[in-house]
Structures are given as C-alpha cells and as structure tokens.
Amino acid sequence: PKVLVIESKSQVRSDLVDTLGGIGYEVKIAESVSQAVAQGYKNQFDAIVIDLFLPDMKDWAILRKLRATKGGGKTPALLTTILAGKKVDFCYKIHDFLIKPGNEAELLSSLQCVGASPEKTKSILIVDNDKEAIERLSVMLKKLNYHYICESNAKNALNIVEKEHPDVIVLDPIM
C-alpha cells in the first residue's frame, strides 16, 4: 500500500517514514501543501497522513485542496499534529466534524446522531475563538430551541465543562 506523509518537521516526518516503511508501506513524502498537491496529481494513495499545521496552509483547507487531486479524492486521511511539543491526542470520541460556516441542517443532523434533542439536552457548549462562528451557531441553536453556552476562551470552557457538564460540546479544535 502507498501512503503520502505530509509533514513539515523533518524529525516527525522521518519517524513516520521509518515506522510506516518498516511495516511494509511504500511512503511518499511532502513537506508542504504544494508538494502534497503535486504528489496527489502524480500518484494514487491508499492513505494520507497529514499535519493540519503546515507552514504554507492551515487547518481543513489543506485537506480540501488535496481532495481536488486524483490521488487524494477519496483517500482516507489520518490527522496528526504536535502542539507546544506535546502530542495532541483525541482521547474522547469525536462524533462528527462540521465544516465552517456550516448550516442548520448539518448541525441538526449531527445533534440528532448523538441523541441530542431540544427536549433531552440540558446544554450545548460552543467553544470557538471566532466570534462570527459563535454568533452563527447561537442563532441556529436558538432557532432549533436548544439551550447553549458560548465561550471563546479554552480555559474558561474547561471550567464550564467541570461546573455545567454540558451534554454536547461543539469545539473548534484549531483555536
């Protein structure tokens, strides 16, 4: 199987190549989004391992750009990142991803998938440092008759989680 590793940090890239190559994967590398896109036009991949914090492009725009290539169109993507020298680990199940700006139907569908109806849901915590995104979500949740709490500061959001125990958290992981 052929894997594309997109990582700007040489040590992390080297570790990924050694690990994947050591268990039999053919590994192609890219240090930037432009290199990854070029690889995507030349090769068909079985998987893509991608850092969402590349210097030439950030967050989900990277994946959207890769999806436009023949090699990245429907290829499964594994996300990896290192922040402040510590590995970020999703230790809780992520039930869904909403692409900003999102719409009411997608939000309602995601909430219904986790069993969160306005009647059963005590509160939804919105955590985002983008004030416009918070406003859009607030308008949608109010229209759908959900009780919600908004927070733009991650530390404050953690305090709210401890005190309020929200049923659902809508979080921008790249804030």
Side-chain angles (χ1 to χ4, degrees):
K2 192 184 297 187
V3 176
L4 175 60
V5 171
I6 310 165
E7 173 59 61
S8 61
K9 293 170 195 69
S10 62
Q11 184 59 55
V12 176
R13 191 174 54 250
S14 177
D15 290 346
L16 287 167
V17 169
D18 290 348
T19 300
L20 293 168
I23 56 174
Y25 287 92
E26 178 186 345
V27 182
K28 299 286 185 181
I29 60 169
E31 297 177 30
S32 67
V33 175
S34 57
Q35 288 179 6
V37 169
Q39 288 279 2
Y41 282 113
K42 289 191 276 186
N43 298 286
Q44 182 68 42
F45 295 101
D46 297 296
I48 299 170
V49 178
I50 183 171
D51 180 1
L52 289 182
F53 294 97
L54 293 167
D56 58 337
M57 190 176 288
K58 302 268 186 276
D59 63 59
W60 303 107
I62 298 166
L63 201 50
R64 281 192 294 274
K65 191 147 183 114
L66 282 171
R67 292 289 184 226
T69 70
K70 78 169 186 166
K74 293 184 180 180
T75 305
L78 307 172
L79 307 179
T80 179
T81 191
I82 296 180
L83 293 174
K86 295 183 179 178
K87 183 176 181 232
V88 173
D89 186 14
F90 293 118
C91 55
Y92 297 101
K93 183 176 181 183
I94 296 173
H95 293 281
D96 201 359
F97 286 93
L98 300 171
I99 305 297
K100 287 182 181 179
N103 63 52
E104 193 175 301
E106 291 170 340
L107 178 61
L108 182 59
S109 174
S110 291
L111 291 170
Q112 288 173 337
C113 282
V114 297
S117 68
E119 302 80 31
K120 294 181 188 176
T121 305
K122 178 179 66 172
S123 65
I124 296 172
L125 174 60
I126 303 169
V127 185
D128 198 323
N129 61 353
D130 178 346
K131 303 253 187 247
E132 290 178 14
I134 286 178
E135 180 62 28
R136 279 191 303 275
L137 283 169
S138 297
V139 168
M140 286 187 260
L141 289 169
K142 184 175 184 174
K143 186 176 177 185
L144 296 168
N145 295 317
Y146 283 93
H147 174 71
Y148 56 91
I149 304 164
C150 301
E151 184 52 60
S152 60
N153 178 285
K155 285 185 180 182
N156 292 345
L158 290 173
N159 289 331
I160 291 170
V161 169
E162 284 184 13
K163 292 177 187 170
E164 303 287 330
H165 306 284
D167 298 307
V168 177
I169 300 172
V170 178
L171 170 72
D172 180 352
I174 308 173
M175 58 175 280

